[in-house]
Amino acid sequence: MSVDLIIMKTSGEGAPKVEVAKPTPEKLVSGNAVTQTWNHFTGEDDRLYCGIWESAKGIVNVDYTEWEFCHFIQGEAILTREDGKSWTLGKGDAFIIPAGFKGTWETVRKVKKHYVILLPPKDVEE
């Protein structure tokens, strides 16, 4: 059995359909924060997602129940934990947001990132 690599891109042959989303009013703190997602892979019983994500400027409240690995391709964001500790992240930075992180995500300059998300087991969510 031969398996192909998954090449992640946002346009051209092999690029997935883009998903456009706006934050809900209760999550949006300020700005626009419209996102675009190109999900390239879903697996592990719909718990694992990998692809490219992009966000317009804005601040949103976040409450992570999942683990996420991020690698910024472009842009700048400030992640602030609910107790006030913050991290400024930019092009080339890679980081992990653990499940349980609560606070805000501020996109300062349009962000484009690679992501890998692992949701908790389905029996834990319910």
Side-chain angles (χ1 to χ4, degrees):
M1 174 182 171
S2 61
V3 178
D4 289 337
L5 294 179
I6 298 168
I7 308 299
M8 294 195 297
K9 54 188 178 175
T10 57
S11 63
E13 186 178 340
K17 183 178 176 186
V18 64
E19 302 166 34
V20 179
K22 292 187 222 180
T24 60
E26 59 273 4
K27 286 189 176 186
L28 184 62
V29 176
S30 69
N32 176 330
V34 170
T35 63
Q36 296 185 87
T37 304
W38 294 266
N39 193 65
H40 288 79
F41 178 80
T42 301
E44 302 299 315
D45 296 321
D46 290 333
R47 293 182 52 228
L48 181 67
Y49 297 87
C50 306
I52 298 173
W53 179 87
E54 190 174 273
S55 176
K57 290 169 63 170
I59 303 173
V60 294
N61 291 314
V62 293
D63 183 356
Y64 279 78
T65 58
E66 69 278 12
W67 284 81
E68 182 175 4
F69 167 82
C70 304
H71 174 254
F72 277 19
I73 303 166
Q74 71 179 48
E76 181 182 353
I78 301 169
L79 274 70
T80 304
R81 197 170 56 198
E82 62 186 344
D83 67 2
K85 183 172 182 178
S86 66
W87 296 263
T88 300
L89 303 151
K91 180 179 178 177
D93 288 335
F95 54 99
I96 296 170
I97 302 170
F101 181 91
K102 294 179 184 179
T104 59
W105 175 298
E106 177 181 1
T107 299
V108 178
R109 287 193 321 267
K110 180 181 171 181
V111 165
K112 185 180 265 189
K113 69 176 182 173
H114 294 112
Y115 66 85
V116 178
I117 294 171
L118 181 62
L119 299 175
K122 295 195 186 304
D123 60 340
V124 173
E125 288 179 356
E126 298 169 5

